[in-house]
Amino acid sequence: MNNEWPLWEIFIRGQHGLSHRHVGSLHAPDAEMAIKNARDVYTRRNEGVSIWAVEANNITASSPSDKGPLYEPSESKVYRHPTFFDIPDEVGAM
Amino acid sequence: MYAQMVQSEATKDDPEKLAAFQARIDRDEKIEPKDWMPEGYRKTLIRQIGQHAHSEIVGQLPEGNWITRAPTLERKAILLAKVQDEAGHGLYLYCATETLGVSRDELTEMLLDGRMKYSSIFNYPTLNWADIGAVGWLVDGAAIINQVPLQRTSFGPYSRAMIRVCKEESFHARQGFDAIRKMAEGTPEQKKMAQNAVDRLWFPALMMFGPSDKDSTHSAQSMAWKIKMNTNDELRQKFVDQTVPQIEFLGLDLPDDGIKWNEERGHYDYSDPDWSEFFDVIKGNGPCNVDRLAARNKAWKDGAWVRDGLLAHARKKAAAKVAAE
Amino acid sequence: MSAATSNEAFTQFLLRMGDNTLILGHRVSEWCGHSPVLEEDIALANTALDLIGQTQMWLGLAGEIEGKGQTADNLAFLRDVWDFRNLLLVEMPNGDFGQTLMRQFLFDAWHSIQLGRLMSSSDERVAAIAEKTSKEVAYHLERSADTVVGLGDGTEESHARMQDALDYLWPYVGEMFQSDAVDAEMVAKGIAPDPASLREEYDALVGRILATATLTIPDTAFGHKGGRTGAMHTEHLGHLLTQMQWLQRAYPGSEW
């Protein structure tokens, strides 16, 4: 049996109230230890206030060949971007 | 340049795919683990990032050698934090390598049985307390010169690891300079230690950048792939230009009579390191090669029961949880 | 009691706190670069770093109370074995990783309870240090307890090694709860609790964790002593000091 500790992906939410962000990975025997290891490895400089650990095996990733179908449709939805709309200067900041 | 003499793998892929891949790199797109990549690119990266990771881990040893002898509580804490960072850097880099389809345990085995290398610099001993300053200042200083451009390397996980490493690394060089400065400005004995450290570590530090460009035949492909960003000599020159004024600032003698400002080139001239010594170290005949590998092997072997024990417990817990459901 | 005597007892108490963290921090730092796995190497270094930081606070205050101009560094690097006031437990050698973590757990359990009590010390400097360090120590305890459980209830080999470690270290636990005149004065001044008063909570905590770890507490009431009074340390401490103090001893009066 392979006795290497599983790989975990670590997500940390920093002080600023932003979403959890992927910071890297590490090995741990289980989820609880993954969280503890993440605290020791990835918050040595006070980087975070909340940690998520996800076993790498459990992450489903889009495959590169999907890149077109997944992302290109949104490229045509230019109206989603605020710069699409021409707002007269006299209206002020918006 | 904890990665020295990494040979680029020849690649035998479909020329059309290769051209498209190269075009992506030329457009400064990042290559991500699931993207198509030439087999040679993958293999070269495993070797390079793996070697870089190994260097961080073996690099803990020469400095770790002084943690228990640090002269003040503050110096002890700083040194320990620094050596701990190196373990962290090794960890980030192993993770980056793992995205290429090789496990950390496999990489570790390859380090331990000598199939993979680590930087030559860590086969030199740390003999007095000023060495700790010199290692931080010169060795980490040299590493930073190499790693800063690598933040722009083409492989996404490598680039991200380098960004994280660089953020932490400037603390290392600064603490080193601060430590050796205290020595250089201290008692005559302390100054002697500082001079001794610089004299002994100068040429090994220059060797970190790898052999001279004229003897380094493998870099063209790696440069095209943007996994090597500058030539060895370019980086070495940059290091010399940056460091010589710092040695003078410390009031220490230059460790090489050949160091002279060259007005025409706008750079310092310097003597070549003894490359035969470099190749001896690479072959395993440096002053500490045997001890370093023995220490890593011992840690790995002695730790097996711990890794197995904690994993066995985790599996028991998981099984009990399933049974309860 | 005169102010001088009372400062003497207070200083002794602070040395006991600071020498524990100094010596244990030193021991744990010996692992750096040699741990069984990278994540543990990094975690152990964090523990050692916390302990070194705590040492600076306790010994700093000890020097201040003593009033002879001693800095934390002077106290750490220029005293001899008989002046050290740490528990014998923390000077015991690292042994294997299991022994190191068992020592850590046995100490963390006491340390966390002690700091909890010190947070309501009548001396606000002591209370402030306890407040700050108790958060660090709560994490040390969580981690060392988890590891003791994981290894105790892991493989046959890891179980056997952890039981050996416990058998070896248990006779050093009793010293934590012994009292002397220094303690009596600390209790009278409301600065620190009576060591014996921590025993019940300690036994409950340690008993629970060791049971989960499937380990058996040795059936002996015997306890070594002599560390916290300085009367008789183990032979190990002298060797530790020869390393730790070497530079300061060989090059006296230098700045580092």
Side-chain angles (χ1 to χ4, degrees), chain B residues 57 60 68 70-73 75-77 83-84 104 190 193 296 303 305 307 309 313 316, chain C residues 26 32-33 36 38-39 41-42 46 49 52 73 150 153-154 161 243-244 248 251 255-256:
Chain B
I57 300 309
Q60 289 186 274
T68 56
T72 67
L73 293 169
R75 290 284 175 206
K76 194 208 282 280
V83 181
Q84 180 199 40
R104 189 163 93 190
Q190 285 177 304
M193 289 182 216
R296 288 312 311 158
W305 72 270
R307 298 189 298 273
H313 178 71
K316 279 188 209 176
Chain C
H26 184 96
C32 187
L38 268 178
E39 285 80 359
D41 207 69
I42 293 169
N46 273 344
L49 282 169
I52 296 167
D73 279 338
D153 183 33
R161 283 176 181 266
Q243 260 192 36
M244 187 172 85
Q248 290 259 7
Y251 301 97
E255 294 223 9
W256 303 96

mmCIF file of all heavy atoms in Angstrom, chain B residues 57 60 68 70-73 75-77 83-84 104 190 193 296 303 305 307 309 313 316, chain C residues 26 32-33 36 38-39 41-42 46 49 52 73 150 153-154 161 243-244 248 251 255-256:
data_model
loop_
_atom_site.group_PDB
_atom_site.id
_atom_site.type_symbol
_atom_site.label_atom_id
_atom_site.label_comp_id
_atom_site.label_asym_id
_atom_site.label_seq_id
_atom_site.Cartn_x
_atom_site.Cartn_y
_atom_site.Cartn_z
ATOM 1 N N ILE B 57 15.912 21.831 1.193
ATOM 2 C CA ILE B 57 15.857 20.876 2.307
ATOM 3 C C ILE B 57 17.269 20.560 2.816
ATOM 4 O O ILE B 57 17.525 20.606 4.021
ATOM 5 C CB ILE B 57 15.142 19.575 1.856
ATOM 6 C CG1 ILE B 57 13.710 19.891 1.415
ATOM 7 C CG2 ILE B 57 15.150 18.536 2.969
ATOM 8 C CD1 ILE B 57 12.922 20.701 2.397
ATOM 9 N N GLN B 60 18.873 23.312 4.793
ATOM 10 C CA GLN B 60 18.582 23.495 6.220
ATOM 11 C C GLN B 60 19.761 23.053 7.088
ATOM 12 O O GLN B 60 19.931 23.528 8.197
ATOM 13 C CB GLN B 60 17.370 22.647 6.637
ATOM 14 C CG GLN B 60 16.029 23.112 6.126
ATOM 15 C CD GLN B 60 14.917 22.268 6.750
ATOM 16 O OE1 GLN B 60 14.568 21.200 6.264
ATOM 17 N NE2 GLN B 60 14.385 22.740 7.869
ATOM 18 N N THR B 68 21.603 25.537 17.687
ATOM 19 C CA THR B 68 21.786 25.278 19.120
ATOM 20 C C THR B 68 22.980 26.050 19.695
ATOM 21 O O THR B 68 23.221 25.992 20.893
ATOM 22 C CB THR B 68 21.996 23.779 19.393
ATOM 23 O OG1 THR B 68 23.109 23.323 18.622
ATOM 24 C CG2 THR B 68 20.767 22.980 19.014
ATOM 25 N N ALA B 70 23.559 29.413 18.647
ATOM 26 C CA ALA B 70 23.359 30.848 18.396
ATOM 27 C C ALA B 70 23.628 31.623 19.683
ATOM 28 O O ALA B 70 23.267 31.174 20.763
ATOM 29 C CB ALA B 70 21.934 31.087 17.920
ATOM 30 N N PRO B 71 24.276 32.789 19.563
ATOM 31 C CA PRO B 71 24.808 33.452 20.760
ATOM 32 C C PRO B 71 23.802 34.256 21.580
ATOM 33 O O PRO B 71 24.120 34.630 22.704
ATOM 34 C CB PRO B 71 25.878 34.385 20.189
ATOM 35 C CG PRO B 71 25.434 34.655 18.795
ATOM 36 C CD PRO B 71 24.729 33.424 18.327
ATOM 37 N N THR B 72 22.638 34.559 21.034
ATOM 38 C CA THR B 72 21.625 35.264 21.838
ATOM 39 C C THR B 72 20.261 34.651 21.520
ATOM 40 O O THR B 72 20.108 33.960 20.514
ATOM 41 C CB THR B 72 21.540 36.772 21.502
ATOM 42 O OG1 THR B 72 21.032 36.912 20.168
ATOM 43 C CG2 THR B 72 22.887 37.469 21.603
ATOM 44 N N LEU B 73 19.308 34.940 22.373
ATOM 45 C CA LEU B 73 17.958 34.402 22.141
ATOM 46 C C LEU B 73 17.388 34.945 20.843
ATOM 47 O O LEU B 73 16.742 34.225 20.083
ATOM 48 C CB LEU B 73 17.045 34.760 23.323
ATOM 49 C CG LEU B 73 17.417 34.072 24.648
ATOM 50 C CD1 LEU B 73 16.634 34.691 25.807
ATOM 51 C CD2 LEU B 73 17.160 32.563 24.564
ATOM 52 N N ARG B 75 19.045 36.007 18.136
ATOM 53 C CA ARG B 75 19.710 35.379 16.983
ATOM 54 C C ARG B 75 19.219 33.955 16.790
ATOM 55 O O ARG B 75 19.088 33.456 15.675
ATOM 56 C CB ARG B 75 21.223 35.372 17.165
ATOM 57 C CG ARG B 75 21.876 36.734 17.073
ATOM 58 C CD ARG B 75 21.979 37.222 15.643
ATOM 59 N NE ARG B 75 22.498 38.580 15.609
ATOM 60 C CZ ARG B 75 22.260 39.448 14.624
ATOM 61 N NH1 ARG B 75 21.526 39.112 13.584
ATOM 62 N NH2 ARG B 75 22.759 40.659 14.666
ATOM 63 N N LYS B 76 18.996 33.276 17.896
ATOM 64 C CA LYS B 76 18.514 31.897 17.802
ATOM 65 C C LYS B 76 17.137 31.869 17.114
ATOM 66 O O LYS B 76 16.885 31.060 16.225
ATOM 67 C CB LYS B 76 18.433 31.275 19.198
ATOM 68 C CG LYS B 76 18.261 29.737 19.176
ATOM 69 C CD LYS B 76 17.531 29.211 20.398
ATOM 70 C CE LYS B 76 18.353 29.112 21.652
ATOM 71 N NZ LYS B 76 19.189 27.909 21.681
ATOM 72 N N ALA B 77 16.260 32.779 17.563
ATOM 73 C CA ALA B 77 14.921 32.824 16.984
ATOM 74 C C ALA B 77 14.978 33.175 15.497
ATOM 75 O O ALA B 77 14.300 32.556 14.665
ATOM 76 C CB ALA B 77 14.055 33.835 17.742
ATOM 77 N N VAL B 83 15.669 29.000 8.945
ATOM 78 C CA VAL B 83 15.831 27.613 8.514
ATOM 79 C C VAL B 83 14.449 26.968 8.337
ATOM 80 O O VAL B 83 14.235 26.154 7.441
ATOM 81 C CB VAL B 83 16.708 26.827 9.507
ATOM 82 C CG1 VAL B 83 16.888 25.399 9.051
ATOM 83 C CG2 VAL B 83 18.072 27.490 9.641
ATOM 84 N N GLN B 84 13.515 27.385 9.156
ATOM 85 C CA GLN B 84 12.141 26.905 8.999
ATOM 86 C C GLN B 84 11.566 27.366 7.658
ATOM 87 O O GLN B 84 10.895 26.601 6.962
ATOM 88 C CB GLN B 84 11.283 27.441 10.144
ATOM 89 C CG GLN B 84 9.833 26.986 10.069
ATOM 90 C CD GLN B 84 8.923 27.863 10.904
ATOM 91 O OE1 GLN B 84 9.062 29.075 10.954
ATOM 92 N NE2 GLN B 84 7.978 27.230 11.588
ATOM 93 N N ARG B 104 5.971 13.421 -3.935
ATOM 94 C CA ARG B 104 7.061 13.941 -3.096
ATOM 95 C C ARG B 104 7.927 12.803 -2.572
ATOM 96 O O ARG B 104 9.141 12.943 -2.483
ATOM 97 C CB ARG B 104 6.481 14.756 -1.935
ATOM 98 C CG ARG B 104 7.542 15.496 -1.158
ATOM 99 C CD ARG B 104 6.919 16.574 -0.310
ATOM 100 N NE ARG B 104 6.631 16.083 1.028
ATOM 101 C CZ ARG B 104 5.903 16.762 1.929
ATOM 102 N NH1 ARG B 104 5.386 17.935 1.615
ATOM 103 N NH2 ARG B 104 5.684 16.266 3.127
ATOM 104 N N GLN B 190 35.919 38.645 16.361
ATOM 105 C CA GLN B 190 34.701 38.568 15.550
ATOM 106 C C GLN B 190 34.984 38.971 14.109
ATOM 107 O O GLN B 190 34.492 38.374 13.169
ATOM 108 C CB GLN B 190 33.609 39.468 16.147
ATOM 109 C CG GLN B 190 32.980 38.886 17.403
ATOM 110 C CD GLN B 190 31.953 39.841 17.996
ATOM 111 O OE1 GLN B 190 32.267 40.995 18.298
ATOM 112 N NE2 GLN B 190 30.727 39.371 18.160
ATOM 113 N N MET B 193 36.494 36.174 12.320
ATOM 114 C CA MET B 193 35.490 35.186 11.904
ATOM 115 C C MET B 193 34.790 35.639 10.621
ATOM 116 O O MET B 193 34.581 34.851 9.701
ATOM 117 C CB MET B 193 34.427 35.003 13.002
ATOM 118 C CG MET B 193 34.897 34.290 14.253
ATOM 119 S SD MET B 193 33.489 34.127 15.420
ATOM 120 C CE MET B 193 34.331 34.332 16.979
ATOM 121 N N ARG B 296 20.119 13.384 5.784
ATOM 122 C CA ARG B 296 18.779 13.304 5.183
ATOM 123 C C ARG B 296 18.254 11.870 5.200
ATOM 124 O O ARG B 296 17.076 11.624 5.443
ATOM 125 C CB ARG B 296 18.780 13.841 3.749
ATOM 126 C CG ARG B 296 18.917 15.346 3.581
ATOM 127 C CD ARG B 296 17.998 16.148 4.463
ATOM 128 N NE ARG B 296 16.616 15.691 4.408
ATOM 129 C CZ ARG B 296 15.701 15.911 5.354
ATOM 130 N NH1 ARG B 296 16.000 16.569 6.432
ATOM 131 N NH2 ARG B 296 14.459 15.472 5.218
ATOM 132 N N GLY B 303 12.126 8.467 10.511
ATOM 133 C CA GLY B 303 10.774 9.032 10.570
ATOM 134 C C GLY B 303 9.709 8.122 9.999
ATOM 135 O O GLY B 303 8.514 8.426 10.108
ATOM 136 N N TRP B 305 8.383 5.311 10.868
ATOM 137 C CA TRP B 305 7.345 4.806 11.791
ATOM 138 C C TRP B 305 6.370 5.911 12.176
ATOM 139 O O TRP B 305 5.200 5.642 12.435
ATOM 140 C CB TRP B 305 7.983 4.163 13.023
ATOM 141 C CG TRP B 305 8.608 5.126 14.003
ATOM 142 C CD1 TRP B 305 9.897 5.581 14.003
ATOM 143 C CD2 TRP B 305 7.964 5.755 15.124
ATOM 144 N NE1 TRP B 305 10.101 6.448 15.057
ATOM 145 C CE2 TRP B 305 8.934 6.566 15.763
ATOM 146 C CE3 TRP B 305 6.674 5.702 15.651
ATOM 147 C CZ2 TRP B 305 8.663 7.329 16.893
ATOM 148 C CZ3 TRP B 305 6.400 6.469 16.787
ATOM 149 C CH2 TRP B 305 7.379 7.272 17.396
ATOM 150 N N ARG B 307 5.481 8.549 10.169
ATOM 151 C CA ARG B 307 4.590 8.767 9.027
ATOM 152 C C ARG B 307 3.571 7.635 8.933
ATOM 153 O O ARG B 307 2.381 7.870 8.744
ATOM 154 C CB ARG B 307 5.417 8.872 7.735
ATOM 155 C CG ARG B 307 6.397 10.044 7.722
ATOM 156 C CD ARG B 307 7.043 10.239 6.352
ATOM 157 N NE ARG B 307 7.827 9.103 5.916
ATOM 158 C CZ ARG B 307 9.119 8.897 6.215
ATOM 159 N NH1 ARG B 307 9.769 9.782 6.949
ATOM 160 N NH2 ARG B 307 9.758 7.838 5.777
ATOM 161 N N GLY B 309 2.630 5.585 11.338
ATOM 162 C CA GLY B 309 1.760 5.562 12.517
ATOM 163 C C GLY B 309 0.617 6.561 12.392
ATOM 164 O O GLY B 309 -0.548 6.226 12.634
ATOM 165 N N HIS B 313 -3.419 5.729 11.948
ATOM 166 C CA HIS B 313 -4.446 6.263 12.845
ATOM 167 C C HIS B 313 -5.545 6.975 12.045
ATOM 168 O O HIS B 313 -6.734 6.809 12.322
ATOM 169 C CB HIS B 313 -3.813 7.226 13.850
ATOM 170 C CG HIS B 313 -4.809 7.854 14.770
ATOM 171 N ND1 HIS B 313 -5.442 7.152 15.761
ATOM 172 C CD2 HIS B 313 -5.317 9.113 14.825
ATOM 173 C CE1 HIS B 313 -6.288 7.952 16.394
ATOM 174 N NE2 HIS B 313 -6.228 9.150 15.844
ATOM 175 N N LYS B 316 -7.784 4.420 10.533
ATOM 176 C CA LYS B 316 -8.680 3.822 11.539
ATOM 177 C C LYS B 316 -9.848 4.751 11.817
ATOM 178 O O LYS B 316 -10.986 4.323 11.917
ATOM 179 C CB LYS B 316 -7.923 3.609 12.860
ATOM 180 C CG LYS B 316 -7.066 2.364 12.913
ATOM 181 C CD LYS B 316 -6.544 2.193 14.353
ATOM 182 C CE LYS B 316 -5.213 1.477 14.359
ATOM 183 N NZ LYS B 316 -4.652 1.374 15.714
ATOM 184 N N HIS C 26 15.061 24.974 23.336
ATOM 185 C CA HIS C 26 16.347 24.547 22.806
ATOM 186 C C HIS C 26 16.261 23.096 22.321
ATOM 187 O O HIS C 26 16.678 22.770 21.213
ATOM 188 C CB HIS C 26 17.417 24.674 23.887
ATOM 189 C CG HIS C 26 18.795 24.347 23.417
ATOM 190 N ND1 HIS C 26 19.678 25.310 23.007
ATOM 191 C CD2 HIS C 26 19.417 23.166 23.242
ATOM 192 C CE1 HIS C 26 20.802 24.738 22.620
ATOM 193 N NE2 HIS C 26 20.668 23.425 22.760
ATOM 194 N N CYS C 32 15.218 20.788 14.057
ATOM 195 C CA CYS C 32 15.074 21.529 12.801
ATOM 196 C C CYS C 32 15.939 20.910 11.697
ATOM 197 O O CYS C 32 17.155 20.812 11.833
ATOM 198 C CB CYS C 32 15.436 22.992 13.027
ATOM 199 S SG CYS C 32 15.086 24.002 11.610
ATOM 200 N N GLY C 33 15.298 20.493 10.633
ATOM 201 C CA GLY C 33 16.005 19.865 9.519
ATOM 202 C C GLY C 33 16.097 18.353 9.627
ATOM 203 O O GLY C 33 16.641 17.713 8.729
ATOM 204 N N PRO C 36 10.596 13.815 10.796
ATOM 205 C CA PRO C 36 10.138 12.714 9.943
ATOM 206 C C PRO C 36 9.471 13.173 8.643
ATOM 207 O O PRO C 36 9.434 12.431 7.675
ATOM 208 C CB PRO C 36 9.094 11.999 10.807
ATOM 209 C CG PRO C 36 9.381 12.401 12.202
ATOM 210 C CD PRO C 36 9.966 13.770 12.129
ATOM 211 N N LEU C 38 8.271 17.006 6.314
ATOM 212 C CA LEU C 38 8.430 18.463 6.249
ATOM 213 C C LEU C 38 7.431 19.229 7.097
ATOM 214 O O LEU C 38 7.795 20.186 7.783
ATOM 215 C CB LEU C 38 8.257 18.915 4.792
ATOM 216 C CG LEU C 38 9.509 19.015 3.954
ATOM 217 C CD1 LEU C 38 9.140 19.418 2.536
ATOM 218 C CD2 LEU C 38 10.453 20.034 4.573
ATOM 219 N N GLU C 39 6.171 18.816 7.032
ATOM 220 C CA GLU C 39 5.141 19.553 7.759
ATOM 221 C C GLU C 39 5.416 19.538 9.263
ATOM 222 O O GLU C 39 5.158 20.516 9.957
ATOM 223 C CB GLU C 39 3.757 18.959 7.458
ATOM 224 C CG GLU C 39 3.201 19.307 6.062
ATOM 225 C CD GLU C 39 3.773 18.451 4.935
ATOM 226 O OE1 GLU C 39 4.623 17.583 5.214
ATOM 227 O OE2 GLU C 39 3.366 18.661 3.776
ATOM 228 N N ASP C 41 8.408 19.231 10.605
ATOM 229 C CA ASP C 41 9.609 20.038 10.808
ATOM 230 C C ASP C 41 9.214 21.499 11.012
ATOM 231 O O ASP C 41 9.701 22.184 11.923
ATOM 232 C CB ASP C 41 10.523 19.911 9.580
ATOM 233 C CG ASP C 41 11.992 20.137 9.928
ATOM 234 O OD1 ASP C 41 12.552 19.284 10.625
ATOM 235 O OD2 ASP C 41 12.560 21.165 9.516
ATOM 236 N N ILE C 42 8.310 21.954 10.160
ATOM 237 C CA ILE C 42 7.870 23.345 10.223
ATOM 238 C C ILE C 42 7.077 23.595 11.507
ATOM 239 O O ILE C 42 7.260 24.605 12.191
ATOM 240 C CB ILE C 42 7.043 23.681 8.963
ATOM 241 C CG1 ILE C 42 7.965 23.635 7.733
ATOM 242 C CG2 ILE C 42 6.363 25.032 9.091
ATOM 243 C CD1 ILE C 42 7.248 23.674 6.401
ATOM 244 N N ASN C 46 7.898 26.063 14.795
ATOM 245 C CA ASN C 46 6.981 27.071 15.345
ATOM 246 C C ASN C 46 6.877 26.958 16.856
ATOM 247 O O ASN C 46 6.874 27.968 17.568
ATOM 248 C CB ASN C 46 5.578 26.909 14.742
ATOM 249 C CG ASN C 46 5.436 27.674 13.439
ATOM 250 O OD1 ASN C 46 6.246 28.543 13.135
ATOM 251 N ND2 ASN C 46 4.422 27.350 12.670
ATOM 252 N N LEU C 49 10.013 28.311 18.338
ATOM 253 C CA LEU C 49 10.045 29.774 18.238
ATOM 254 C C LEU C 49 9.161 30.418 19.301
ATOM 255 O O LEU C 49 9.554 31.407 19.925
ATOM 256 C CB LEU C 49 9.585 30.219 16.843
ATOM 257 C CG LEU C 49 10.622 30.071 15.738
ATOM 258 C CD1 LEU C 49 9.982 30.279 14.363
ATOM 259 C CD2 LEU C 49 11.772 31.056 15.932
ATOM 260 N N ILE C 52 10.988 30.175 22.627
ATOM 261 C CA ILE C 52 12.100 31.127 22.748
ATOM 262 C C ILE C 52 11.556 32.526 23.046
ATOM 263 O O ILE C 52 12.077 33.250 23.896
ATOM 264 C CB ILE C 52 12.969 31.141 21.465
ATOM 265 C CG1 ILE C 52 13.631 29.773 21.266
ATOM 266 C CG2 ILE C 52 14.037 32.232 21.553
ATOM 267 C CD1 ILE C 52 14.248 29.597 19.890
ATOM 268 N N ASP C 73 19.300 37.502 28.032
ATOM 269 C CA ASP C 73 20.450 36.808 27.439
ATOM 270 C C ASP C 73 21.503 36.462 28.491
ATOM 271 O O ASP C 73 22.046 35.367 28.485
ATOM 272 C CB ASP C 73 21.084 37.662 26.330
ATOM 273 C CG ASP C 73 20.332 37.538 25.012
ATOM 274 O OD1 ASP C 73 19.623 36.522 24.830
ATOM 275 O OD2 ASP C 73 20.447 38.448 24.177
ATOM 276 N N GLY C 150 -2.436 10.043 17.792
ATOM 277 C CA GLY C 150 -2.218 9.430 16.474
ATOM 278 C C GLY C 150 -1.154 8.343 16.521
ATOM 279 O O GLY C 150 -1.320 7.273 15.924
ATOM 280 N N ASP C 153 -2.251 5.332 18.995
ATOM 281 C CA ASP C 153 -3.260 4.494 18.353
ATOM 282 C C ASP C 153 -2.976 4.393 16.853
ATOM 283 O O ASP C 153 -3.870 4.495 16.023
ATOM 284 C CB ASP C 153 -4.656 5.105 18.591
ATOM 285 C CG ASP C 153 -5.755 4.235 17.997
ATOM 286 O OD1 ASP C 153 -5.600 3.002 17.975
ATOM 287 O OD2 ASP C 153 -6.763 4.806 17.539
ATOM 288 N N GLY C 154 -1.722 4.192 16.493
ATOM 289 C CA GLY C 154 -1.349 4.094 15.078
ATOM 290 C C GLY C 154 -1.041 2.664 14.707
ATOM 291 O O GLY C 154 -1.928 1.809 14.672
ATOM 292 N N ARG C 161 6.454 2.333 20.718
ATOM 293 C CA ARG C 161 7.404 3.421 20.966
ATOM 294 C C ARG C 161 6.805 4.485 21.881
ATOM 295 O O ARG C 161 7.502 5.048 22.734
ATOM 296 C CB ARG C 161 7.825 4.054 19.643
ATOM 297 C CG ARG C 161 8.839 3.221 18.855
ATOM 298 C CD ARG C 161 9.082 3.911 17.522
ATOM 299 N NE ARG C 161 10.013 3.218 16.646
ATOM 300 C CZ ARG C 161 11.319 3.491 16.586
ATOM 301 N NH1 ARG C 161 11.855 4.424 17.352
ATOM 302 N NH2 ARG C 161 12.094 2.832 15.746
ATOM 303 N N GLN C 243 26.755 23.586 24.604
ATOM 304 C CA GLN C 243 26.480 24.036 23.237
ATOM 305 C C GLN C 243 25.873 25.423 23.222
ATOM 306 O O GLN C 243 26.319 26.319 22.525
ATOM 307 C CB GLN C 243 25.474 23.080 22.583
ATOM 308 C CG GLN C 243 26.130 22.083 21.689
ATOM 309 C CD GLN C 243 25.129 21.350 20.832
ATOM 310 O OE1 GLN C 243 24.127 21.906 20.383
ATOM 311 N NE2 GLN C 243 25.420 20.096 20.584
ATOM 312 N N MET C 244 24.819 25.552 24.010
ATOM 313 C CA MET C 244 24.045 26.787 23.973
ATOM 314 C C MET C 244 24.898 27.992 24.362
ATOM 315 O O MET C 244 24.786 29.065 23.778
ATOM 316 C CB MET C 244 22.847 26.663 24.915
ATOM 317 C CG MET C 244 21.899 27.821 24.830
ATOM 318 S SD MET C 244 20.405 27.512 25.789
ATOM 319 C CE MET C 244 20.952 28.039 27.392
ATOM 320 N N GLN C 248 29.100 32.719 23.859
ATOM 321 C CA GLN C 248 29.137 33.752 24.903
ATOM 322 C C GLN C 248 30.270 33.494 25.895
ATOM 323 O O GLN C 248 30.877 34.422 26.422
ATOM 324 C CB GLN C 248 27.799 33.773 25.648
ATOM 325 C CG GLN C 248 26.662 34.312 24.812
ATOM 326 C CD GLN C 248 26.329 35.759 25.151
ATOM 327 O OE1 GLN C 248 27.036 36.411 25.918
ATOM 328 N NE2 GLN C 248 25.254 36.273 24.569
ATOM 329 N N TYR C 251 33.823 34.002 23.918
ATOM 330 C CA TYR C 251 34.129 35.385 23.511
ATOM 331 C C TYR C 251 33.352 36.354 24.387
ATOM 332 O O TYR C 251 32.442 37.037 23.923
ATOM 333 C CB TYR C 251 33.787 35.581 22.029
ATOM 334 C CG TYR C 251 34.558 34.637 21.141
ATOM 335 C CD1 TYR C 251 33.980 33.442 20.711
ATOM 336 C CD2 TYR C 251 35.867 34.912 20.765
ATOM 337 C CE1 TYR C 251 34.693 32.550 19.919
ATOM 338 C CE2 TYR C 251 36.579 34.028 19.975
ATOM 339 C CZ TYR C 251 35.986 32.854 19.563
ATOM 340 O OH TYR C 251 36.702 31.988 18.784
ATOM 341 N N GLU C 255 29.391 41.706 21.288
ATOM 342 C CA GLU C 255 27.997 41.930 20.881
ATOM 343 C C GLU C 255 27.716 41.064 19.674
ATOM 344 O O GLU C 255 28.572 40.907 18.803
ATOM 345 C CB GLU C 255 27.804 43.399 20.496
ATOM 346 C CG GLU C 255 27.984 44.309 21.682
ATOM 347 C CD GLU C 255 26.925 45.388 21.707
ATOM 348 O OE1 GLU C 255 25.965 45.307 20.910
ATOM 349 O OE2 GLU C 255 27.063 46.294 22.537
ATOM 350 N N TRP C 256 26.551 40.498 19.634
ATOM 351 C CA TRP C 256 26.236 39.561 18.552
ATOM 352 C C TRP C 256 25.084 40.060 17.713
ATOM 353 O O TRP C 256 24.479 39.383 16.977
ATOM 354 C CB TRP C 256 25.910 38.187 19.139
ATOM 355 C CG TRP C 256 27.050 37.693 19.975
ATOM 356 C CD1 TRP C 256 27.181 37.799 21.325
ATOM 357 C CD2 TRP C 256 28.250 37.032 19.528
ATOM 358 N NE1 TRP C 256 28.356 37.252 21.746
ATOM 359 C CE2 TRP C 256 29.034 36.767 20.660
ATOM 360 C CE3 TRP C 256 28.731 36.631 18.266
ATOM 361 C CZ2 TRP C 256 30.274 36.131 20.592
ATOM 362 C CZ3 TRP C 256 29.947 36.001 18.199
ATOM 363 C CH2 TRP C 256 30.711 35.749 19.347
#
